[in-house]
């Protein structure tokens, strides 16, 4: 600190007196200086100290403190605080925060490289601003303050969403419940395979369940055990676990019931696609009418299957479970069933039965969607998005300018209330989280 004027004069007088006592006069001291400060120093600057700078302290820098750096504090570093490090905070470490450790102020509890100040859930490494939003988990994955938000569509051309919904597909399992299903643990294996299949496809297919017979002998009950319904897996599993094999094999009579609209009215609704899946381990033993003394023939079963297709639009699959299945009867059913198959599916254990059921389930998933286009919408300005990505319009899925089997088309170009995804795009649907239909922007074409 620079002394006050009074104290400074008193000190200078004492110095002069002391010098006089050893034979030096004030005049001789002043004459030795060549500067213009009027003081008794031997340097050439204008201050009163003995160094060559212009401040009043005794060091060689230009500030007013007594250390050798160029700032105004009393330490030897070059910053403006009073500690001994090179940063501008008041602690003694080398970071820029105000604590005494050497970190940089970032706390990252879940080690996802996002500090807790920016990470909206720092205990979950799958949640941070760098994550993509999962549309079905009720979590703000990307920390934008929104949960499961729909991706933005193009707003520059006034694009607006309209309703789109999966055309339902109904699948009825017609299960052989004859005594022979109790041999070799086949019934418990069938229960396991059907349970897994209806669970896996419960949100994609409307399941129903029926059995033949319903009681001893060739008896067939009325109505159906469980008509097709959305989310019906739990009900079907409960039925399976409460059922045991009983009676003979009235396959023809069990199929014939579906010719009656009242037997399973939801399943036989012609407005939706309906599939009958027969699982049998033997051959028909009960014939074409109650009280028959001989089983139905393959031709009779084939004719009945064709009637189901022509009158009720029911397509039929057949699975033979075990070595006792009648290949002649089941093949006759498949050939008339309208599925495109030419022979029945053979299954010998639970794994192969489950694989057969899953293959059928995957093959019948609808590629068709109902759409409700607003009256004021231009039908030439419709676009379809899968998880926020626009899909090209591919007329009849056969436009040579488009990638093969990619895109969407109108089921009926003259009645635009239903779209169909081309085969490759349809195969993607089980993994797609969000399907959007919009109008307002020109339709995306190849």
């Amino acid at each position: 600190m620079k002394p006050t004027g009074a104290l400074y004069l008193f000190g200078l007088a004492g110095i002069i007196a002391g010098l006089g006592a050893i034979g030096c006069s004030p005049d001789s001291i002043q004459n030795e200086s060549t500067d213009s400060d009027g003081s008794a120093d031997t340097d050439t600057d204008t201050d009163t100290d003995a160094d060559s700078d212009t401040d009043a302290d005794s060091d060689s820098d230009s500030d007013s403190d007594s250390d050798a750096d160029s700032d105004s504090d009393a330490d030897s570093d070059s910053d403006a605080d009073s500690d001994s490090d090179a940063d501008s905070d008041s602690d003694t470490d080398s970071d820029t925060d105000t604590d005494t450790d050497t970190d940089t102020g970032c706390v990252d509890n879940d080690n996802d490289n996002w500090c807790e100040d920016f990470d909206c859930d720092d205990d979950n490494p799958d949640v941070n601003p760098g994550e993509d939003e999962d549309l079905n988990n009720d979590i703000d994955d990307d920390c934008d303050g929104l949960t499961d938000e729909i991706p933005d569509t193009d707003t520059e051309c006034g694009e607006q969403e309209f309703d789109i919904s999966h055309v339902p597909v109904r699948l009825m399992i017609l299960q052989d419940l004859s005594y022979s299903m109790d041999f070799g643990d086949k019934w418990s294996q069938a229960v396991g395979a059907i349970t897994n299949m209806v669970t896996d496809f419960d949100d994609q297919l409307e399941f129903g369940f029926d059995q033949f017979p319903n009681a001893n002998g060739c008896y067939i009950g009325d109505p159906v055990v469980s008509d097709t319904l959305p989310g019906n897996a739990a009900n079907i599993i409960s039925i399976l676990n409460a059922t045991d094999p009983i009676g003979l094999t009235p396959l023809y009579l069990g199929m014939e019931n579906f010719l009656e609209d009242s037997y399973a009215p939801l399943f036989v609704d012609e407005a939706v696609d309906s599939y009958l899946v027969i699982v049998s381990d033997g051959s028909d033993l009960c014939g074409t009418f109650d009280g028959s003394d001989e089983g139905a023939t393959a031709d009779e079963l084939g004719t009945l299957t064709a009637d189901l297709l022509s009158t009720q639009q029911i397509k039929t699959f057949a699975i033979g479970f075990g070595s006792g299945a009648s290949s002649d009867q089941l093949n006759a059913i498949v050939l008339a069933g309208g599925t495109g198959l030419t022979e029945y599916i053979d299954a010998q254990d639970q794994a192969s039965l489950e694989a057969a059921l899953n293959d059928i389930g995957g093959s019948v998933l609808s590629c068709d969607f109902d759409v409700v286009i607003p009256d004021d919408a231009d039908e030439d300005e419709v676009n379809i998005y899968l998880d926020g990505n626009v899909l090209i319009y591919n007329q009849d899925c056969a436009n040579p300018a488009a990638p093969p089997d990619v895109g969407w088309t109108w089921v009926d170009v003259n009645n635009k209330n239903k779209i169909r995804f081309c085969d490759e795009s349809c195969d993607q649907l089980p993994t797609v989280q969000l399907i959007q239909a919009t109008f307002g922007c020109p339709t995306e074409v190849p």
Side-chain angles (χ1 to χ4, degrees):
M1 178 182 293
K2 185 175 180 178
T4 62
L7 182 59
Y8 176 75
L9 292 174
F10 176 82
L12 180 58
I15 293 172
I16 294 172
L19 291 172
I22 59 174
C24 296
S25 69
D27 290 340
S28 65
I29 294 173
Q30 186 170 0
N31 289 338
E32 292 173 3
S33 174
T34 60
D35 60 18
S36 58
D37 58 8
S39 60
D41 56 9
T42 59
D43 55 22
T44 59
D45 56 22
T46 58
D47 57 21
T48 58
D49 55 20
D51 56 23
S52 60
D53 56 25
T54 58
D55 59 16
D57 55 22
S58 58
D59 56 25
S60 58
D61 56 21
S62 59
D63 57 21
S64 58
D65 56 22
S66 58
D67 56 18
D69 55 23
S70 59
D71 57 24
S72 58
D73 57 18
D75 56 21
S76 58
D77 56 25
S78 59
D79 56 18
D81 55 22
S82 57
D83 55 22
S84 57
D85 58 17
D87 56 22
S88 58
D89 56 23
S90 58
D91 56 23
T92 57
D93 57 23
S94 58
D95 55 30
T96 57
D97 55 26
T98 57
D99 56 23
T100 57
D101 56 27
T102 56
D103 60 32
T104 58
C106 175
V107 176
D108 183 11
N109 294 314
D110 55 12
N111 297 314
D112 61 358
N113 297 319
W114 286 92
C115 302
E116 65 176 351
D117 289 346
F118 303 98
D119 193 336
C120 57
D121 185 353
D122 205 33
D123 294 320
N124 185 349
D126 295 325
V127 173
N128 59 64
E131 291 291 326
D132 293 328
E133 185 70 19
D134 185 330
L135 304 180
N136 290 310
N137 64 358
D138 294 325
I139 295 174
D140 178 14
D141 306 275
D142 55 7
C143 293
D144 66 350
L146 300 173
T147 300
D148 298 350
E149 69 269 21
I150 296 174
D152 291 335
T153 52
D154 192 344
T155 58
E156 293 182 2
C157 46
E159 197 165 26
Q160 301 178 56
E161 289 189 55
F162 60 88
D163 291 337
I164 181 170
S165 59
H166 209 161
V167 174
V169 174
R170 294 172 179 168
L171 191 148
M172 178 69 67
I173 299 172
L174 181 59
Q175 173 64 51
D176 187 344
L177 207 65
S178 60
Y179 284 122
S180 58
M181 282 295 297
D182 214 15
F183 301 159
D185 201 32
K186 282 188 290 186
W187 176 241
S188 63
Q189 293 181 40
V191 169
I194 295 171
T195 293
N196 291 337
M197 187 263 194
V198 297
T199 300
D200 290 344
F201 287 89
D202 195 33
D203 60 346
Q204 301 173 66
L205 298 172
E206 297 183 5
F207 285 107
F209 180 80
D210 204 13
Q211 61 195 44
F212 61 97
N214 293 91
N216 285 326
C218 295
Y219 176 78
I220 294 295
D222 188 11
V224 67
V225 174
S226 177
D227 207 349
T228 50
L229 291 168
N232 201 27
N235 180 46
I236 291 174
I237 294 168
S238 177
I239 293 169
L240 290 170
N241 289 328
T243 302
D244 292 308
I246 187 172
L248 301 176
T249 312
L251 175 56
Y252 184 98
L253 298 177
M255 294 175 62
E256 186 182 38
N257 279 336
F258 294 103
L259 288 175
E260 300 294 329
D261 291 345
S262 60
Y263 184 74
L266 297 177
F267 175 60
V268 301
D269 182 0
E270 296 180 11
V272 299
D273 292 335
S274 297
Y275 294 88
L276 184 65
V277 179
I278 297 168
V279 180
S280 178
D281 76 330
S283 59
D284 185 284
L285 299 175
C286 297
T288 60
F289 60 91
D290 189 19
S292 174
D293 58 0
E294 60 183 17
T297 66
D299 287 343
E300 288 170 334
L301 287 164
T303 300
L304 173 60
T305 305
D307 289 343
L308 288 173
L309 181 61
S310 62
T311 63
Q312 304 287 43
Q313 284 70 56
I314 296 173
K315 298 178 180 181
T316 305
F317 292 93
I319 301 173
F321 189 36
S323 59
S326 171
S327 58
D328 288 343
Q329 292 186 357
L330 296 181
N331 280 337
I333 290 171
V334 170
L335 284 170
T339 64
L341 298 182
T342 58
E343 59 184 6
Y344 78 99
I345 303 170
D346 179 55
Q348 295 297 318
D349 53 26
Q350 179 175 335
S352 56
L353 177 57
E354 186 173 333
L357 290 169
N358 287 340
D359 286 345
I360 291 172
S363 71
V364 303
L365 287 176
S366 178
C367 296
D368 293 355
F369 282 71
D370 291 321
V371 294
V372 182
I373 302 178
D375 293 337
D376 59 345
D378 186 340
E379 293 178 349
D380 293 325
E381 294 185 344
V382 170
N383 281 294
I384 305 299
Y385 290 81
L386 300 182
D387 286 338
N389 299 309
V390 68
L391 200 62
I392 60 171
Y393 174 72
N394 184 354
Q395 185 171 350
D396 298 327
C397 295
N399 187 337
D405 297 324
V406 171
W408 65 277
T409 187
W410 296 108
V411 173
D412 182 354
V413 72
N414 297 314
N415 185 17
K416 296 181 177 179
N417 60 6
K418 194 186 298 282
I419 70 162
R420 175 170 296 151
F421 287 99
C422 304
D423 288 346
E424 266 197 41
S425 298
C426 186
D427 290 343
Q428 298 176 22
L429 297 183
T431 62
V432 170
Q433 299 184 45
L434 181 67
I435 300 173
Q436 294 168 281
T438 68
F439 71 92
C441 291
T443 299
E444 192 80 14
V445 295

